[in-house]
Amino acid sequence: MVAWYPITPSTSLIEATTDLLKKFRVTPEGKATFAVVQAEDELAAIGMVLGAGWAGARAMTSTSGPGISLMAEFSGLGYYAEIPGVIFDVQRTGPSTGMPTRTQQSDLLSTAFLSHGDTRHPVLLPGSMKECFEFGYAAFDLAERMQTPVFVLTDLDLGMNNWMSEQFVYPEKPLDRGKVLTAEELEKLGSFSRYRDVDGDAIGWRTLPGTAHPKAAYFTRGSGHNDAAGYTERPEEYQAVMERLARKFERARTMVPAPVEYRNGKAKIGFLAYGSTDFALRESLDQIEKEHGLSADYMRIRAFPFAHEIHDFVASHERVYVVEQNRDAQMASLLKLDLAAEQVVKLRSILHYNGLPIDARTITEEFRTKEGL
Amino acid sequence: MATATASGAAGPKLNHIGLPIVEYRGGKSTLCAGCGHNAISERIIDAMFEMGVEPERVMKMSGIGCSSKSPAYFMNRSFSFNSVHGRMPSITTGAVLANSTMKALGISGDGDTASIGMGQFVHLLRRNLPMIYIIEDNGVYGLTKGQFSATADIGSRLKTGVINDLPPIDTCALAIQLGATFVGRSFSGDKKQLLSMLKAAIAHKGTVLLDVISPCVTFNDHEGSTKSYKFLQDHDEPINEVGFVASFDDIEVDYDSGQVYDVEMHDGSQLRLRKLLEDYDPTDKANAVRTLMEAQEKDEILTGVFYIDTQKPTFLDQLNMVDEPLATLPESLTRPPKSALESLMANLQ
C-alpha cells in the first residue's frame, strides 16, 4: 500500500513506483495486488501507512522536508504503538519551504527523533542507486521485524538526477514479515500479550485484524499502556514499556545495514560520511593523497542507530572528519550523542549546504585549511 | 430479538452465528453515568449481535476524545485502534485497504471530526470507503472540560454563560454533498431508530455517516444547550421511521405500503423507511441537503435516513483490487520474478 502527497523532489519516486506496480503487480485476471492512494496531505499519507501496517500490509509513503514535519505526530504513534511502515524522505534544502529544487542532507536529526516525547526511529542512508534499491526492500523487512516506522533518507541528487549504476541484484532471501501470531499458534499458546517480551529480543508478538481466534484481538493505542496493551497510568507499567522500547532500539544497531569501510590503512585521520556525499568524498581522498601525500581512512555510515564498527572507527583514529551536506553538522551531532566523551573531541566537521551537490574540491580545500596544510 | 434462538431452556439467547450477546460486550465504561455515548455503545452491541457479525471480523477505529475512548466499552473480541486526534479516517483507510474483508467501524466525536479532523473527514467522504463512521455528537469538548465544538448551534449556551455565536457545521449535509452513500442522524436516546439505522449501516457497502446526537451530561445538558436531552426531546423531528429486515430474517415490517420507501441493501437485506415528511425521497441528493438546511433555519433537528445510494462504486471498486486481503497475499503474488528485474536492468543499458 502506497499513500502519498505530491511534493518536490519525492514525486518521481512515487510515480516510478506506481508505474512498476501497474506493470508487475497485477494478477492474470487484471486485479491489482496493491493500492496507491494520493492522500489529502502528508498527515493522511502516513496515517494510511500506519493503518495498513497495523492491519498487516507492507505500506510506504514518500515525502520531503515539509512533509516530514507534518508526519511528526503520527511517527510518534508508530513508535509507541509499534506499527511497521516505511517513510522515504527525498531530502531537499530547508528550513521551511527552503529551495525545493535544491539538495541537502538536513533532515537527519528531525527524522531520527521525529515526534514529541522520547521517540527515536531507525534511519537508513543509501549512498547510491544500487543501495536505494537494496535499502528499499531492506526497510520493509526491518520495519516488520522491529515493528516500527523506518525512515529511508535519500536526497534530491539521488532521487531526481540521472546516475550511472551497477546492476541491481535480485534479492534471494524471502521477505521477513516479523513476529505475527496465527490463530493456530494462538490456540496452542492459549493467550498472548501484545507488548510482552517473551523471546528476550524486546519485540512482542502481534496478531493481525481478522485472526480467527476469540483471544486474538488487542487494543492499539497511543496512550500509556502496559505489556498487555491495556490503558495504564501506573509508573512501573509505563516505564517497563519505555525501557523495552529503548532495548529494542539498542538491538537495532546490529539489524540495520552495517557501515562500509573503504580505506583503513591505520591512518591517523579518518573520514565519516553518508548518502550522496560518498562520491565527492572518495574523489577528495584521492586529491588529498595526490596533492598532500596524506592517506586518510574512510567509513561510510549507512544507518542510525550506529553500528559498533562506527564507534571502533572513531576510537582507532586521532581525528575524524564528518563530511555532510547541512549547516548544523547533524551527523556529527548525532554521533556526539552516541560516542563516549573522550571520543567526541576527535570529531571535526566539513559542511556544505548551498543547495548544490557537494563536490570534491570543496572537501579538499576545507580539509587543507582545517589541517593547516 | 427476532433473530435470536434459544439454546436451551436456561441458556442465553444465541444469534444466527451461535454467539450469545456477552461475546459482544466490552470493558466497563469510564465515561460519566448518563453519557449518551454509553447508550450508543449499547446499541452497537445490540446491532452487531443481531446482525450476527463475527467479532473478529470487526475493526474498531477511533481518534481522541470521550467518543474515541468508547470502543474500549464494546466488543472486546474485535480489533481496536485508538489513534491520534482527528486522524481516524486515514488510519481506517489504510487498514481497510490492507484487509478489505474486515468491517470497519469508526467512532469519532464532533471535535475529532468537525474541527481538527475536518480535512481527513471530507476526503474520506469523497472516496466512499466501505466503513461505518459514527459521530457521537454532543457539541462540546468533554475531556478538556467543556469548550464549544464546531457542531454547537448558534445561541447555544455553556454552563459558564458563554454563548456560541458561530454557525454549526452540519456533518450530514456535508457527507451527502461530498459522496457518502448512507447518511443519517439519530439521537442516542432513541433506541429503536438508532438500532435500525446501525443494522442497516452494517449491511451497507460504502461510507455510512451517522451523526448521533449524544448529550454530554456534565458539560452540555442544561437549559440553553441545544444538545441536551430536553432540547432533543422537544425538537427532534424524524423524517422517516426506520425499519430494517436482515437478509436472514423473514419478519414483516407492518408499514402501509403506500407510505414506504424500500431500499434493497447489498447483502439482500431490506431497509424500509416509512415517510413522515411528505414526499421525502432518500435518493434525491439535492433535496436531502435542502431539507437539512431548511430544518436548521427552523431550529428543528431532523433525524432518520436522509440519503442512501446503493449503486455508487466504493473506493475498493475504483482501485480494482484483488478480493483477498493485501495483508496476507503470498510472496508469490507480491514479489515479481527475477526475470522482471532482469528485463528492467536490460532496458536501462
Side-chain angles (χ1 to χ4, degrees):
Chain A
M1 208 282 310
V2 180
W4 70 294
Y5 185 76
I7 184 167
T8 302
S10 87
T11 307
S12 316
L13 192 158
I14 293 295
E15 287 183 339
T17 305
T18 308
D19 287 347
L20 291 171
L21 288 169
K22 283 181 182 163
K23 203 167 167 187
F24 296 115
R25 288 288 296 270
V26 176
T27 64
E29 296 77 38
K31 293 279 187 178
T33 60
F34 66 91
V36 178
V37 185
Q38 184 181 321
E40 52 271 31
D41 53 32
E42 287 90 346
L43 289 82
I46 189 169
M48 291 174 196
V49 167
L50 294 181
W54 172 76
R58 291 193 151 193
M60 62 167 271
T61 184
S62 179
T63 189
S64 194
I68 288 291
S69 294
L70 288 178
M71 292 180 184
E73 187 186 20
F74 257 137
S75 298
L77 175 73
Y79 171 78
Y80 192 38
E82 301 181 63
I83 300 165
V86 176
I87 301 106
F88 291 92
D89 175 8
V90 185
Q91 296 170 98
R92 67 190 214 188
T93 307
S96 189
T97 305
M99 299 192 287
T101 57
R102 298 286 184 231
T103 194
Q104 215 163 55
Q105 296 180 312
S106 52
D107 293 345
L108 181 65
L109 282 175
S110 56
T111 48
F113 302 111
L114 193 65
S115 206
H116 56 273
D118 289 328
T119 303
R120 45 187 61 202
H121 310 287
V123 180
L124 307 192
L125 303 162
S128 65
M129 284 299 100
K130 187 159 174 268
E131 276 185 1
C132 286
F133 174 69
E134 290 165 356
F135 288 15
Y137 58 82
F140 286 99
D141 280 358
L142 185 65
E144 291 197 313
R145 172 55 51 185
M146 281 190 67
Q147 302 175 358
T148 201
V150 171
F151 290 79
V152 184
L153 262 59
T154 70
D155 58 34
L156 183 142
D157 195 16
L158 288 169
M160 280 188 86
N161 293 337
N162 289 330
W163 291 80
M164 297 279 285
S165 173
E166 290 175 61
Q167 293 258 354
F168 298 173
V169 181
Y170 189 77
E172 298 295 343
K173 267 196 339 189
L175 305 181
D176 180 358
R177 304 302 309 267
K179 296 167 74 166
V180 177
L181 278 181
T182 63
E184 295 72 34
E185 289 163 340
L186 190 52
E187 184 58 36
K188 276 184 220 155
L189 289 171
S191 66
F192 90 113
S193 291
R194 168 67 183 91
Y195 299 115
R196 188 163 297 164
D197 181 10
V198 289
D199 301 325
D201 60 359
I203 300 166
W205 287 84
R206 62 181 187 136
T207 53
L208 303 184
T211 305
H213 192 283
K215 291 189 172 163
Y218 66 96
F219 202 101
T220 303
R221 60 178 96 234
S223 48
H225 48 267
N226 57 26
D227 68 4
Y231 179 82
T232 191
E233 291 178 18
R234 288 192 181 141
E236 64 283 2
E237 286 188 340
Y238 163 80
Q239 213 163 310
V241 171
M242 289 300 283
E243 281 165 7
R244 183 182 51 74
L245 283 168
R247 287 202 306 278
K248 181 168 89 166
F249 199 75
E250 188 61 28
R251 283 195 72 245
R253 288 181 194 274
T254 58
M255 298 163 77
V256 297
V260 178
E261 202 169 50
Y262 288 90
R263 297 155 59 122
N264 197 350
K266 308 291 171 214
K268 286 181 182 174
I269 295 171
F271 278 83
L272 287 170
Y274 59 100
S276 66
T277 302
D278 179 48
F279 303 96
L281 178 56
R282 282 202 258 171
E283 187 183 343
S284 169
L285 292 175
D286 289 343
Q287 288 174 353
I288 291 166
E289 188 155 19
K290 201 171 157 197
E291 294 165 20
H292 304 289
L294 200 152
S295 176
D297 295 337
Y298 168 34
M299 175 174 273
R300 183 161 60 86
I301 298 172
R302 301 202 300 169
F304 173 75
F306 299 123
H308 300 292
E309 293 95 316
I310 297 166
H311 285 249
D312 297 342
F313 184 83
V314 176
S316 63
H317 291 87
E318 282 182 18
R319 293 187 292 289
V320 176
Y321 283 86
V322 184
V323 188
E324 52 187 318
Q325 300 177 61
N326 57 67
R327 184 194 67 183
D328 289 349
Q330 297 195 17
M331 178 59 86
S333 304
L334 202 50
L335 284 163
K336 284 174 187 173
L337 292 174
D338 211 45
L339 291 170
E342 67 274 16
Q343 302 298 329
V344 165
V345 293
K346 294 177 173 178
L347 299 186
R348 312 277 186 277
S349 278
I350 292 178
L351 305 168
H352 174 87
Y353 55 93
N354 66 5
L356 298 174
I358 192 168
D359 62 289
R361 184 49 61 189
T362 301
I363 302 171
T364 306
E365 288 309 304
E366 186 67 19
F367 175 73
R368 193 178 59 79
T369 308
K370 285 207 154 71
E371 284 288 308
L373 298 171
Chain B
M1 229 165 285
T3 59
T5 52
S7 66
K13 282 181 178 175
L14 303 181
N15 65 7
H16 82 104
I17 62 162
L19 290 178
I21 197 161
V22 69
E23 297 298 325
Y24 291 82
R25 297 211 180 279
K28 191 177 180 309
S29 175
T30 60
L31 298 171
C32 309
C35 174
H37 300 359
N38 290 332
I40 299 171
S41 296
E42 288 300 317
R43 295 297 81 71
I44 291 169
I45 291 168
D46 292 344
M48 290 286 185
F49 169 73
E50 291 184 24
M51 290 294 283
V53 179
E54 276 180 67
E56 287 77 30
R57 306 302 308 165
V58 175
M59 305 191 286
K60 304 177 290 177
M61 316 300 281
S62 64
I64 294 289
C66 292
S67 56
S68 293
K69 288 169 69 175
S70 71
Y73 314 137
F74 59 86
M75 296 182 81
N76 271 350
R77 279 175 58 173
S78 304
F79 295 81
S80 202
F81 196 153
N82 180 202
S83 65
V84 292
H85 202 12
R87 315 291 173 225
M88 179 271 279
S90 62
I91 286 280
T92 308
T93 303
V96 169
L97 293 180
N99 191 340
S100 57
T101 66
M102 298 290 287
K103 178 68 70 185
L105 171 63
I107 307 289
S108 184
D110 36 298
D112 197 58
T113 292
S115 287
I116 192 169
M118 191 48 116
Q120 301 210 341
F121 176 60
V122 295
H123 287 275
L124 175 89
L125 297 170
R126 288 179 67 214
R127 296 188 181 107
N128 195 29
L129 181 87
M131 76 169 293
I132 302 168
Y133 189 127
I134 295 175
I135 305 173
E136 300 188 340
D137 186 356
N138 54 20
V140 74
Y141 286 81
L143 284 184
T144 52
K145 305 206 182 295
Q147 299 78 30
F148 276 125
S149 83
T151 65
D153 297 294
I154 288 190
S156 186
R157 189 165 52 78
L158 278 183
K159 266 185 175 169
T160 52
V162 178
I163 310 256
N164 181 47
D165 48 14
L166 291 175
I169 291 171
D170 187 331
T171 50
C172 287
L174 259 184
I176 295 165
Q177 199 186 344
L178 291 175
T181 46
F182 185 125
V183 180
R185 178 169 282 136
S186 189
F187 166 40
S188 64
D190 189 339
K191 284 187 184 181
K192 187 167 171 283
Q193 184 196 47
L194 181 55
L195 179 61
S196 297
M197 276 165 70
L198 284 169
K199 286 164 74 174
I202 291 167
H204 183 71
K205 203 176 145 201
T207 301
V208 177
L209 187 277
L210 296 182
D211 180 41
V212 186
I213 314 275
S214 175
C216 171
V217 288
T218 306
F219 297 109
N220 208 9
D221 193 33
H222 47 272
E223 195 71 26
S225 162
T226 58
K227 298 244 187 312
S228 63
Y229 281 111
K230 173 97 176 48
F231 189 89
L232 263 295
Q233 272 144 13
D234 296 346
H235 295 76
D236 180 359
E237 295 287 336
I239 60 158
N240 39 37
E241 245 173 53
V242 187
F244 180 77
V245 186
S247 58
F248 47 81
D249 238 336
D250 56 2
I251 55 162
E252 289 292 318
V253 179
D254 53 350
Y255 288 156
D256 172 354
S257 61
Q259 301 191 321
V260 165
Y261 210 105
D262 269 335
V263 185
E264 166 127 16
M265 308 298 285
H266 297 92
D267 65 350
S269 307
Q270 289 285 326
L271 174 65
R272 188 154 260 220
L273 303 170
R274 186 165 74 94
K275 294 176 193 174
L276 297 177
L277 209 62
E278 212 177 330
D279 294 333
Y280 190 83
D281 172 2
T283 62
D284 182 342
K285 213 173 190 178
N287 183 51
V289 175
R290 188 170 55 246
T291 304
L292 283 168
M293 294 292 115
E294 285 170 1
Q296 202 180 79
E297 282 169 18
K298 288 188 277 183
D299 270 349
E300 279 176 2
I301 303 197
L302 298 187
T303 58
V305 175
F306 302 138
Y307 181 68
I308 185 159
D309 176 356
T310 56
Q311 305 303 314
K312 189 181 163 184
T314 69
F315 196 42
L316 299 173
D317 298 328
Q318 291 186 339
L319 290 171
N320 190 31
M321 284 161 62
V322 287
D323 295 331
E324 307 92 297
L326 294 186
T328 49
L329 287 178
E331 199 167 320
S332 58
L333 281 177
T334 60
R335 179 180 273 184
K338 197 171 184 175
S339 57
L341 181 66
E342 282 166 356
S343 72
L344 276 176
M345 289 289 105
N347 286 336
L348 289 168
Q349 277 177 0

